[in-house]
Amino acid sequence: MEPAPAAARTGGFVSDRIVVESRGQGPDVILIPGLASTSAVWARTAGALEGRYRVHLVTVRGFGEVPPGGNAEGLVGGPAAAEIRRYINEKGLTRPAIIGHSMGGQIALRVAADAGPRVGRVMVVDASPFFPSLISAGATAGDVEPLARLAYQGLLLFGDEALKTQASGMGADMGGAADSLFGTLGWQGGDRRTLAQGLYEVMTVDLRARLPAITAPVTVVYGWSADDRSPRSHIDGLFRASYRSLPRPAAFERIEGAEHMVMIDRPRQFQQAVERFLR
């Protein structure tokens, strides 16, 4: 069930796409989780910030135990981004910093592209404007659409277990991330159709053409490995190529030993990156 106090803590903001909980006082920081995750993935980050910042914890409806609402049908990422922009406007947030993980990183990029100077800065955590480019720099949405359709159908028909056992075969590992995604707090499940649609969008949405509209500075944080046998050891150039059309060069921070769930895999190093980002 959705936690009842959330609306009260956000001054009555109601959305059929997202749930937002606000805590703390100070400059505004918005935290957006990834596919099948709720705001619980940000518990440690929020705890470290809320004494100095006003933290806004987003959960996309249909992820975890939150009822899907409007996300039961149609697109997920774009409508969620639109609702976060509405939240910023209605609450009068002053140039908030936005931190988004994975699919939440793509949502953060959408918000920044559409909100312009209303957004102060953006951190994307193990997220690309086009995730297949982290596997092959020349990949196109058309190349991955058949795999994305297979992943969509598998998750819709067979549930979470199909994705857990077939992730690498369906191309959902996104650069070696699948092993750490499942069995952690990061994969909290949710409404089957919402998850299937979200996965399809993660695999096919290409936001690279939207990057020139982002005026806010962007920081890209990602897991990295010194082991040449790991896909993570070769990911630096792929991330840099993905963000090359930003009007100002992105800052890149790799965190050794982290996989996809960077803030859970290496919490201390991740928090240090967040503190540098917010300075």
Side-chain angles (χ1 to χ4, degrees):
M1 294 293 290
E2 174 187 336
R9 287 195 293 267
T10 56
F13 178 81
V14 177
S15 170
D16 68 347
R17 297 288 186 167
I18 62 172
V19 176
V20 189
E21 175 190 348
S22 177
R23 60 174 75 159
Q25 295 293 328
D28 293 297
V29 180
I30 299 173
L31 301 176
I32 311 171
L35 178 69
S37 296
T38 70
S39 61
V41 299
W42 298 116
R44 187 187 295 260
T45 305
L49 296 178
E50 62 185 79
R52 296 164 291 143
Y53 296 89
R54 183 165 57 156
V55 180
H56 307 268
L57 291 150
V58 175
T59 293
V60 175
R61 286 188 176 274
F63 294 170
E65 296 185 358
V66 179
N71 293 330
E73 298 292 341
L75 299 175
V76 177
E83 286 296 86
I84 292 172
R85 293 198 309 275
R86 182 169 71 88
Y87 180 82
I88 292 171
N89 291 333
E90 289 192 6
K91 298 303 171 187
L93 306 191
T94 304
R95 293 177 56 80
I98 304 179
I99 302 176
H101 170 252
S102 193
M103 182 181 184
Q106 289 190 328
I107 292 173
L109 293 174
R110 289 178 186 264
V111 174
D114 291 332
R118 293 297 306 273
V119 170
R121 63 190 68 187
V122 176
M123 174 187 279
V124 292
V125 183
D126 220 60
S128 170
F130 182 53
F131 272 96
S133 69
L134 298 182
I135 300 172
S136 172
T140 67
D143 293 334
V144 299
E145 202 282 334
L147 287 174
R149 180 59 54 182
L150 178 62
Y152 176 94
Q153 293 172 345
L155 185 51
L156 191 64
L157 294 175
F158 302 112
D160 293 4
E161 196 59 35
L163 193 59
K164 294 178 186 179
T165 57
Q166 302 178 44
S168 59
M170 292 189 294
D173 57 338
M174 298 305 173
D179 288 345
S180 64
L181 178 59
F182 305 113
T184 71
L185 186 61
W187 186 265
Q188 295 171 270
D191 176 75
R192 188 174 294 185
R193 201 227 64 84
T194 306
L195 294 179
Q197 178 61 33
L199 176 61
Y200 182 85
E201 292 178 28
V202 164
M203 295 180 70
T204 59
V205 166
D206 189 347
L207 299 175
R208 288 175 293 186
R210 302 296 319 281
L211 297 184
I214 297 176
T215 59
V218 174
T219 297
V220 183
V221 176
Y222 55 95
W224 180 79
S225 173
D227 185 349
D228 286 342
R229 296 167 297 180
S230 168
R232 292 271 166 188
S233 67
H234 310 291
I235 208 167
D236 299 277
L238 295 172
F239 267 113
R240 291 177 182 275
S242 294
Y243 287 94
R244 63 188 173 195
S245 62
L246 283 168
R248 67 171 81 181
F252 295 89
E253 291 212 31
R254 65 186 191 187
I255 296 182
E256 185 170 0
E259 293 284 343
H260 187 54
M261 302 301 298
V262 183
M263 59 284 203
I264 295 174
D265 296 337
R266 291 292 185 269
R268 182 178 62 83
Q269 294 91 331
F270 177 73
Q271 189 59 40
Q272 291 171 344
V274 170
E275 297 292 344
R276 288 189 291 270
F277 164 71
L278 292 174
R279 280 204 291 262

